[in-house]
Amino acid sequence: MSDATSEKNNFNGVKVFSATMAQDRDKLGDKVTDWLRNNPQFRVVDTIVTQSSDEAFHCLAITIFYHEQI
């Protein structure tokens, strides 16, 4: 297993940010930035951005995997 893979697997917390409304999607990055700024004790090890949609809605999700020293 490579060092990059083992680093990504070394998490003990997950935070999901999601939005379906256009205005909320536009502000999603700011919410993530604020959360990161307010939680400097978390070391982010991976981030996944997911977009899905159907006829009526578009959903954007940002999933952050982090490690917190316990």
Side-chain angles (χ1 to χ4, degrees):
M1 186 177 327
S2 72
D3 288 339
T5 302
S6 63
E7 174 70 13
K8 287 184 176 187
N9 291 331
N10 187 20
F11 66 92
N12 59 7
V14 177
K15 178 71 174 172
V16 179
F17 299 87
S18 65
T20 55
M21 304 300 289
Q23 289 179 338
D24 294 335
R25 289 193 311 266
D26 289 342
K27 297 176 186 173
L28 202 55
D30 293 333
K31 286 185 176 186
V32 173
T33 300
D34 289 342
W35 182 81
L36 290 169
R37 188 175 291 131
N38 291 323
N39 293 286
Q41 73 277 17
F42 299 154
R43 181 176 49 86
V44 175
V45 296
D46 199 9
T47 304
I48 298 175
V49 178
T50 309
Q51 179 182 344
S52 61
S53 61
D54 60 19
E55 310 80 45
F57 295 98
H58 305 288
C59 181
L60 179 64
I62 301 172
T63 306
I64 298 178
F65 298 85
Y66 63 88
H67 185 268
E68 179 181 14
Q69 190 68 34
I70 300 176

